[in-house]
Structure formats: C-alpha cells, structure tokens
Amino acid sequence: SWANGTGCPPSLYDGLLRELACAGFIVVASDETMAADGTAQIAQIDFVIEENSNKSSALYKKVNSSKIGVIGHSQGGRSSVNAGAVDDRILFVLSLAGSNYVEEAEKLSKPVLFMAGTKDKIVDADRWLVTAFEAVTGPAVYASLNGAIHTTCCSDPGKYSNYIINWFNAWLFNDNNAKAMFTNGGAFSTDSNWSGYMSKGV
C-alpha cells in the first residue's frame, strides 16, 4: 500500500511503483495527497482485500491478505509509520524521505526501513528519519543515498528499487538472503552509494 507525498499524485511515482509491480507485488495507490495519519493507506488495504472477493475484479482470488506491507514518500512515509503502528495486518514499513514524528514512531514495533537523501533540503534526515529510527521499538534500518534530493525517488527510482524490493521479500516471505542484505556487513551497509547506515534488531 503506497502513500503519496504532500500534494503529490501517484503518477509522480509511476516509475517506482511500476518497478514494484514488475517484481510481482500488487501495488495500490490512491489520489490522497495529505496522507499523514495513515487512514487512507489502511483504506487502500481494505479495498484490495474486498476486491479479492469480487468476481468482476482483476484481483479476484489473487490477493494474499496475510502478506501486506506499507511504503510511502515524504508525508507518505509518515503515513506508513502511522498505519503500521495501528494495523495488525501490516507486516513491515518503509519510509522514503519520510517526515516522521518521534511521538508517532515510538508506537511502531514492526520492521521498518528508513531511506533518506544526503542533499534533501525538504525533509532533513537528522531531524526526521534518524530520530524516528532511534524511537521505533522494533527492527529498524537507516541509510542515506549520497547526493539524493527529496524527489530522487521520482526521477531515478532505480537507485532505490533493488533494496526496496529486497526489504519486501525479507519480511513478506521471510527470505533470509534478503534479510542479510540489511544486517551490519550486508550489501546495504557496505554499498558506497549509501552513507550513515544504522541498524537494530535485524
């Protein structure tokens, strides 16, 4: 379930969302542009599960309702943290340049990956993502893409997609090889394109 950044339509993220769909995931994204509280993302999950029982839907009997994760950008990253904290169906969270509040992050105990950009002037990593990483009580990983600005995930999604897909595989399918990528000494921590790596509980 995808959440947009402030004022942004899902079409802005077309490249990234298509990469996720091509990897075999059902991706649902609404037109909600003020998604911070997580309710729109949870409604998207409800919709997809309902479609699984709708004989006229392209998703009829294709949805595994036990394998659900949330991801979002900017305000959508905040949405993902909030949705993950309250919806037991959600297995993991990914916050991409997310404007995450400490008082909300501390309610999250599910695995979460925080991805930032070293040149992001809109969502400062130290203020929003590092503090959220420190606040969450469950497994967490953080790193910042070198040279990335706030919208690099829109203009160059390939710089993120491999790790995003493997984070999904790690927690949706209990893929130990994918999980190993995010441990200290794994591919994500040693990738020279990323800096500031931190992890706990992974």
Side-chain angles (χ1 to χ4, degrees):
S1 181
W2 170 265
N4 304 306
T6 305
C8 298
S11 59
L12 187 67
Y13 307 100
D14 184 77
L16 177 58
L17 300 185
R18 287 184 182 275
E19 289 200 34
L20 301 184
C22 286
F25 303 107
I26 295 172
V27 182
V28 56
S30 74
D31 291 327
E32 177 59 58
T33 60
M34 298 296 288
D37 66 4
T39 56
Q41 228 167 348
I42 291 170
Q44 292 165 200
I45 294 170
D46 294 337
F47 168 77
V48 171
I49 291 174
E50 289 170 3
E51 289 295 284
N52 192 53
S53 301
N54 181 355
K55 291 183 179 180
S56 64
S57 172
L59 296 178
Y60 179 58
K61 291 189 176 180
K62 291 184 171 67
V63 180
N64 186 341
S65 60
S66 69
K67 304 287 186 181
I68 297 172
V70 289
I71 174 175
H73 172 244
S74 194
Q75 185 179 155
R78 182 181 171 194
S79 169
S80 296
V81 167
N82 285 329
V86 300
D87 193 320
D88 291 338
R89 298 171 299 178
I90 296 168
L91 300 182
F92 73 92
V93 173
L94 199 153
S95 177
L96 186 56
S99 54
N100 302 112
Y101 286 55
V102 167
E103 59 268 28
E104 296 169 349
E106 64 187 6
K107 299 175 184 176
L108 181 67
S109 59
K110 295 167 185 173
V112 54
L113 173 59
F114 295 100
M115 304 177 95
T118 60
K119 293 190 176 180
D120 191 335
K121 303 299 183 183
I122 296 174
V123 172
D124 178 77
D126 289 337
R127 179 181 178 189
W128 298 105
L129 289 103
V130 171
T131 54
F133 166 85
E134 293 170 345
V136 296
T137 58
V141 175
Y142 163 87
S144 189
L145 181 61
N146 295 326
I149 62 172
H150 193 59
T151 55
T152 299
C153 66
C154 306
S155 60
D156 198 354
K159 290 183 175 178
Y160 301 85
S161 57
N162 178 54
Y163 289 121
I164 292 173
I165 290 166
N166 276 287
W167 186 255
F168 284 19
N169 288 335
W171 302 107
L172 289 180
F173 307 114
N174 198 30
D175 184 329
N176 288 328
N177 290 329
K179 285 183 181 179
M181 294 181 70
F182 299 97
T183 59
N184 192 9
F188 193 50
S189 71
T190 59
D191 189 334
S192 62
N193 293 307
W194 294 81
S195 60
Y197 167 87
M198 298 183 291
S199 69
K200 59 182 182 181
V202 177

